[in-house]
Amino acid sequence: MTNNYKAEYDLLAVKLHERGVNVDRVKAKLKAQKIETPSWGYADSGTRFGPYQQAGSAVTIEEKVADAAQVHKHTGVAPTVAVHVLWDFPNGLADCETLDDYARSLGVAIGAINPNVFQHREYAFGSLTNEDPKVRKMAVDHMLDSIEIGKKLNSDALSLWFGDGTDYPGQGDFRRRKHHAQECLKTVYDAMPDRMRMLIEYKPFEPAFYHTDIADWGMSYCFAQKCGPNAHVLVDIGHHFVSQNIEHLVAFLIDEERLGGFHFNNHKYADDDLTAGSINPYELFLIYNELVKAEDAPNNNPPIAYMVDQAHVTKSKIDAMIQTIMQIQSAYAKAMCVDRKKLHEAQLAKDVVTSEMCMQEAFSTDVEPLLKTVREEMGLDPNPLEAFRASGYWDKVGKERGIRAGAGLGA
Ligand code: RM4
Ligand code: MN
Ligand code: MN
């Protein structure tokens, strides 16, 4: 372990102090940061043309949790794992008996429960918006089963994404489908225990190509409002049209006290599920800027679940997840480096250039010495990716597990 970041850290601390940033507070926040990783990010994934298998990809939920525990072990900020019911628990509740204990024995816990009402053939014409009441019931029953799984696993989040939509004009009646969706969501909402929250995701297109029933944050917001106070909006970064101003809608939702969670990833074209910050790190920083402002001046927005939703096809699974966590830590740290006083004064003075420079100055701050110092203070290796690679874990599971077909996105 080299210590040459110490001098850089000291210089940075002086610089941040000059910007009015409380460095000790920043360090405490970085240590308290929590990012959930997805079980499906450790399994084989693919493209619409087929799955790609990697030696060592996890198949069973136990393997996925073990891999997630590696990410937590090396980063210290990824203590929970989101699960996808159909992929992780093909036999439902019966597969969950010992999972909570198993996860905890590895130092992690199960996080959000993701029902799956988009893969069965029955859902080709919709799940909760299907015109056939039998199919709507099937979808609701699956979500009710998912609540039971959540109770068993001590999860406090039911995270919902629907592929419902139509491919051609005239194919469906928007308002009738909306009413079906609302009724089903309310049934599910009412079955949740008090400590559970419903997170409602949205997406403009895919798998449906003409219209999607929950297409944007406003629709998620309406459905959440109608369900009740424990239903919140989940923002998946990849689920927006290219160039949409995500930081604006994040701020808006916080102000309306309905921002419940994130699915971090990045996209260049559509729902690409690329590593967070890989294509547009400035966007991730600007999103975090709104989150930091909300932390500095809290309202009654619910606690925000920070989750990763990425399924890497060509990257090595655990490397990619550690890289993701590091990108998110970096965006958070940079957002805490904004000179807030200078920015506020520049805004009031209509000094657009200085306002923008406050953002760019923070974004271009090299926060690596700060993050390394924080990791060291947390008892971690300051370079988690190198430490993981040096551990030999991936080579070991690659040999032990080999290439197998199994549960996971597109696998
Ligand atoms: C969807 C959406 C969901 C995720 C699935 C795998 O596009 O992002 O959150 O569970 O993909
Ligand atoms: Mn998602
Ligand atoms: Mn997605």
Side-chain angles (χ1 to χ4, degrees), residues 8 14 31 46 57 104 112 122 131 192 231 233 248 282 309 322 352 354 365:
E8 291 173 43
V14 171
K31 289 174 193 169
S57 292
R104 285 175 203 278
E122 287 87 337
E131 295 285 13
M192 292 194 313
V233 179
H248 179 202
Y282 195 42
D309 183 4
I322 292 175
V352 183
T354 302
T365 307

Side-chain angles (χ1 to χ4, degrees), residues 304-341:
I304 300 171
Y306 296 102
M307 300 174 280
V308 174
D309 183 4
Q310 292 169 189
H312 296 99
V313 178
T314 49
K315 280 180 175 174
S316 189
K317 308 282 172 189
I318 301 178
D319 280 10
M321 209 54 85
I322 292 175
Q323 183 191 27
T324 301
I325 301 291
M326 293 171 75
Q327 288 274 16
I328 296 170
Q329 288 180 306
S330 172
Y332 186 34
K334 288 180 179 199
M336 289 191 279
C337 293
V338 175
D339 188 332
R340 298 282 161 199
K341 186 160 170 282

Side-chain angles (χ1 to χ4, degrees), residues 12-195:
L12 177 61
V14 171
K15 194 155 77 176
L16 293 181
H17 185 70
E18 282 165 12
R19 282 188 212 162
V21 175
N22 179 336
V23 181
D24 286 337
R25 185 164 170 268
V26 169
K27 289 202 313 194
K29 281 172 157 253
L30 288 167
K31 289 174 193 169
Q33 191 180 16
K34 296 207 168 16
I35 306 158
E36 184 161 305
T37 70
S39 66
W40 56 99
Y42 303 102
D44 275 323
S45 57
T47 70
R48 58 199 286 227
F49 303 111
Y52 291 110
Q53 282 148 358
Q54 289 184 16
S57 292
V59 171
T60 65
I61 182 61
E62 285 76 16
E63 290 170 349
K64 294 171 192 173
V65 168
D67 291 359
Q70 287 295 312
V71 176
H72 181 50
K73 179 180 167 194
H74 291 283
T75 63
V77 295
T80 57
V81 193
V83 289
H84 230 293
V85 173
L86 223 55
W87 300 334
D88 295 334
F89 315 123
N91 307 307
L93 206 51
D95 289 339
C96 305
E97 280 308 317
T98 55
L99 187 60
D100 188 28
D101 288 343
Y102 171 74
R104 285 175 203 278
S105 76
L106 296 178
V108 291
I110 301 300
I113 311 294
N114 291 250
N116 184 322
V117 290
F118 50 84
Q119 268 183 325
H120 284 310
R121 183 66 205 146
E122 287 87 337
Y123 300 133
F125 293 91
S127 63
L128 74 182
T129 61
N130 201 297
E131 295 285 13
D132 182 345
K134 285 201 291 298
V135 179
R136 295 204 296 277
K137 183 171 182 311
M138 177 179 161
V140 168
D141 285 348
H142 176 70
M143 289 187 269
L144 297 179
D145 289 348
S146 301
I147 292 176
E148 293 310 310
I149 289 174
K151 286 187 197 164
K152 180 96 200 152
L153 296 173
N154 294 309
S155 166
D156 57 9
L158 185 73
S159 193
L160 304 177
W161 173 72
F162 302 97
D164 290 42
T166 58
D167 284 334
Y168 295 96
Q171 184 182 330
D173 183 275
F174 299 143
R175 290 178 62 184
R176 197 162 61 227
R177 293 172 68 102
K178 173 173 177 282
H179 294 153
H180 289 325
Q182 185 60 61
E183 198 187 309
C184 293
L185 286 172
K186 182 73 175 141
T187 306
V188 175
Y189 180 88
D190 287 342
M192 292 194 313
D194 286 347
R195 62 175 181 83

